[in-house]
């Protein structure tokens, strides 16, 4: 049984939770669906990770986005994929977000080859590009991620400082120097395959050039409460309902007897 | 499969995309799904007008279905919407929605489309972030 008070407190104070879900079977299944799509041979569980880590040895960097899109379209054409994704974190989302939820129509895939400068996501918050501050991100690594092979996040305390000073700082800094200003405060997420990161996407986060010798593979997907405020990413086009509770169904079907 | 495009010339919910964008989205959807796109029909701008939609739901052009820009171009009224779905399924035609990447091909697809409408309509009555902050005095 999860301790909802502790989880909520930690999520609010750290800005993220690193969890080891009970449902490891689905994590392996997700990893298998992806490796099977690109590997010419069937791989054992152990070799799946090794194949993904060493993917840069077979992949031409200039075609990386085509490969990524091929896998992205494939995983998102399978409804079972998003069902498993949700099931992996369901008990945590019940605590952190609620149990009447919407999730992204399409799960994002990120592949970051060693020394590939084209896959860098500079420091940002998703809310700056239209996401609702009521959303959270579920980030699933398909390989072990550490140092520059992972991502960074600014904790809520430092983020508050960042936001208070943003107006002033954005006038005298570009994104690179702003990054350097907060660089020492970033928390670099060290996370293994089998673990999942749930984070507050309002907090500045991002990644840098992967200077490790392994390829990073990760998935990310946003979840929010069905009726919490939406940003520019709306129901239907970006989000799909995944569980509608009976009280909402009653509300949907209620008609005012005097309405025209 | 041949799909007739269907674009709006008035706003629906918070959307009011230029027709060029609506057509581009439909064309892209058809191309990605290997459908043949037939030049879009444009609905009249008058509020609650579905004259053009009604006309193309007769399928006199021999098309296999309609490709909307968005599901939210459909009528707000549940009964009107259900009547359209019944008509489509009876004629063994299809409705496709480019923005949402959804399609109505059989009875099982109806529920999700109605639900998206219900959520959207209910959501219009929910508090905004500003309202919430004011009410909670945050």
């Amino acid at each position: 049984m999860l301790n909802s008070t502790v989880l909520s407190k930690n999520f609010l104070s750290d800005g993220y939770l690193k969890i080891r879900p009970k449902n490891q079977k689905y994590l392996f299944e997700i990893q298998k669906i992806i490796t099977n799509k690109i590997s010419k041979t069937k791989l054992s569980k152990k070799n799946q990770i090794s194949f993904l880590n060493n993917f840069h040895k077979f992949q031409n960097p200039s075609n990386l986005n085509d490969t990524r899109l091929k896998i992205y379209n494939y995983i998102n054409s399978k409804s079972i994929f998003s069902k498993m994704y949700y099931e992996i974190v369901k008990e945590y989302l019940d605590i952190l977000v609620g149990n009447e939820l919407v999730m992204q129509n399409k799960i994002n895939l990120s592949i970051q080859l060693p020394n590939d400068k084209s896959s860098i996501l500079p420091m940002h918050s998703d809310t700056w590009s239209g996401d609702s501050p009521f959303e959270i991100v579920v980030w699933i690594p398909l390989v072990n991620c550490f140092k520059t092979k992972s991502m960074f996040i600014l904790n809520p305390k430092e983020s508050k400082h960042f936001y208070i000073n943003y107006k002033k700082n954005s006038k005298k800094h570009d994104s690179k120097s702003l990054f350097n200003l907060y660089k020492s405060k970033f928390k670099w997420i060290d996370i293994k395959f089998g673990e999942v990161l749930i984070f507050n996407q309002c907090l500045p986060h991002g990644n840098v050039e992967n200077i490790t010798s392994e390829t990073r593979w990760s998935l990310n997907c946003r979840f929010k409460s069905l009726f919490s405020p939406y940003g520019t990413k709306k129901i239907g086009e970006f989000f799909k309902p995944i569980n509608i509770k009976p009280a909402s169904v009653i509300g949907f079907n209620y008609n005012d007897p005097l309405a025209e | 499969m041949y799909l007739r495009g269907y674009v709006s010339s008035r706003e629906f919910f918070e959307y009011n995309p230029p027709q060029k964008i609506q057509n581009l989205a439909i064309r892209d959807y058809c191309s990605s799904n290997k459908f043949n796109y037939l030049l879009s029909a444009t609905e009249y701008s008058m509020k609650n007008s579905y004259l053009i939609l009604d006309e193309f739901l007769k399928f006199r052009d021999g098309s296999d279905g309609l490709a909307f820009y968005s599901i939210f171009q459909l009528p707000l009224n549940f009964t009107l919407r259900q009547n359209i779905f019944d008509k489509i399924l009876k004629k063994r035609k299809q409705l496709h929605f480019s923005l949402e990447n959804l399609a109505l091909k059989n009875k099982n697809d109806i529920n999700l489309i109605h639900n998206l409408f219900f959520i959207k309509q209910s959501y219009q009555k929910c508090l905004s972030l500003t309202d919430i902050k004011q009410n909670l005095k945050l």
Side-chain angles (χ1 to χ4, degrees):
Chain A
M1 183 81 175
L2 299 173
N3 186 329
S4 62
T5 312
V6 172
L7 286 175
S8 302
K9 192 171 159 251
N10 290 347
F11 185 70
L12 288 171
S13 63
D14 299 338
Y16 70 91
L17 280 183
K18 191 170 73 172
I19 56 168
R20 190 165 185 87
K22 274 189 290 190
N23 210 331
Q24 292 286 305
K25 189 181 78 179
Y26 283 165
L27 286 171
F28 277 105
E29 190 57 34
I30 277 178
Q31 193 190 50
K32 192 170 93 182
I33 289 173
I34 291 176
T35 48
N36 281 355
K37 178 69 184 164
I38 44 172
S39 166
K40 290 184 179 90
T41 53
K42 291 268 178 202
L43 299 166
S44 67
K45 271 187 187 179
K46 197 177 140 196
N47 287 338
Q48 280 178 196
I49 279 217
S50 170
F51 173 78
L52 295 173
N53 270 329
N54 291 294
F55 186 66
H56 54 280
K57 293 175 183 167
F58 332 109
Q59 175 65 40
N60 179 348
S62 61
N63 298 334
L64 179 63
N65 200 41
D66 292 339
T67 306
R68 193 188 66 80
L69 280 174
K70 190 171 103 182
I71 306 166
Y72 168 84
N73 287 329
Y74 178 70
I75 61 176
N76 286 301
S77 69
K78 290 176 162 289
S79 61
I80 188 72
F81 200 90
S82 65
K83 282 180 187 146
M84 287 193 293
Y85 203 100
Y86 172 53
E87 282 302 322
I88 289 167
V89 286
K90 183 182 179 305
E91 59 181 341
Y92 292 91
L93 295 183
D94 284 353
I95 293 168
L96 300 174
V97 192
N99 58 9
E100 191 172 39
L101 301 174
V102 291
M103 77 182 282
Q104 262 179 249
N105 283 331
K106 293 189 171 186
I107 293 164
N108 294 324
L109 169 68
S110 169
I111 309 171
Q112 214 184 352
L113 308 178
N115 309 116
D116 174 18
K117 290 188 175 69
S118 69
S119 304
I120 297 170
L121 257 180
M123 182 173 67
H124 68 285
S125 154
D126 299 359
T127 50
W128 302 348
S129 47
D131 283 86
S132 161
F134 292 80
E135 296 166 19
I136 58 102
V137 177
V138 173
W139 197 86
I140 300 186
L142 299 172
V143 288
N144 298 342
C145 296
F146 53 92
K147 295 181 181 167
T148 58
K149 191 187 172 192
S150 186
M151 58 166 278
F152 64 82
I153 189 164
L154 202 59
N155 70 36
K157 195 178 154 201
E158 292 298 339
S159 292
K160 197 171 176 184
H161 180 272
F162 174 89
Y163 277 106
I164 289 169
N165 293 291
Y166 183 77
K167 206 170 183 178
K168 181 182 74 187
N169 284 336
S170 62
K171 282 178 187 155
K172 54 182 181 183
H173 292 284
D174 59 11
S175 63
K176 198 177 174 188
S177 62
L178 205 53
F179 169 87
N180 287 330
L181 200 63
Y182 285 90
K183 200 175 168 182
S184 62
K185 313 280 185 193
F186 295 145
K187 168 74 186 172
W188 290 86
I189 307 292
D190 190 342
I191 189 165
K192 293 184 171 59
F193 172 68
E195 297 177 318
V196 172
L197 183 76
I198 304 176
F199 71 90
N200 170 359
Q201 47 83 35
C202 301
L203 304 176
H205 60 277
N207 65 24
V208 292
E209 184 183 340
N210 174 7
I211 54 167
T212 72
S213 58
E214 296 173 342
T215 299
R216 187 249 271 190
W217 289 75
S218 62
L219 297 160
N220 68 76
C221 181
R222 281 145 196 83
F223 290 83
K224 70 183 278 300
S225 171
L226 183 68
F227 293 119
S228 64
Y230 287 77
T232 55
K233 295 171 180 175
K234 308 288 187 190
I235 188 81
E237 63 177 76
F238 190 80
F239 286 111
K240 62 181 174 189
I242 47 174
N243 40 21
I244 299 174
K245 297 292 177 187
S248 297
V249 174
I250 293 167
F252 290 158
N253 291 298
Y254 174 76
N255 288 312
D256 185 337
L258 292 177
E260 287 179 10
Chain B
M1 175 174 284
Y2 286 84
L3 297 179
R4 170 72 60 192
Y6 175 72
V7 299
S8 286
S9 48
R10 62 172 186 268
E11 61 181 21
F12 42 98
F13 288 98
E14 66 271 59
Y15 299 113
N16 194 5
Q19 287 177 10
K20 182 171 180 174
I21 301 295
Q22 295 183 55
N23 281 320
L24 277 171
I26 297 170
R27 192 185 298 273
D28 179 59
Y29 173 86
C30 287
S31 149
S32 302
N33 292 286
K34 302 192 168 35
F35 298 133
N36 294 300
Y37 165 62
L38 299 173
L39 190 67
S40 292
T42 306
E43 188 55 77
Y44 292 150
S45 63
M46 289 84 83
K47 198 179 173 189
N48 294 328
S49 167
Y50 291 100
L51 210 98
I52 299 297
L53 179 59
D54 287 342
E55 183 57 34
F56 279 88
L57 285 172
K58 291 172 185 155
F59 296 100
R60 286 180 178 137
D61 59 356
S63 66
D64 301 296
L66 296 179
F68 286 59
Y69 168 71
S70 164
I71 65 163
F72 297 114
Q73 291 171 269
L74 285 165
L76 277 175
N77 180 285
F78 176 85
T79 313
L80 287 180
R81 217 162 51 232
Q82 186 61 43
N83 287 344
I84 291 173
F85 298 160
D86 291 341
K87 201 181 279 184
I88 286 286
L89 296 179
K90 198 174 162 195
K91 292 186 174 189
R92 296 175 186 276
K93 304 286 185 182
Q94 298 183 359
L95 294 182
H96 291 256
F97 307 99
S98 314
L99 192 60
E100 295 83 12
N101 198 28
L102 285 175
L104 176 103
K105 296 177 185 172
N106 58 53
K107 255 178 154 175
N108 300 332
D109 301 322
I110 293 178
N111 210 24
L112 173 63
I113 297 173
H114 280 317
N115 277 340
L116 289 173
F117 258 88
F118 286 141
I119 295 166
K120 194 90 165 169
Q121 284 172 295
S122 304
Y123 175 68
Q124 311 295 310
K125 295 173 189 164
C126 292
L127 295 175
S128 67
L129 175 56
T130 317
D131 295 334
I132 291 170
K133 282 186 168 177
Q134 277 171 359
N135 278 287
L136 294 176
K137 296 198 170 65
L138 290 173

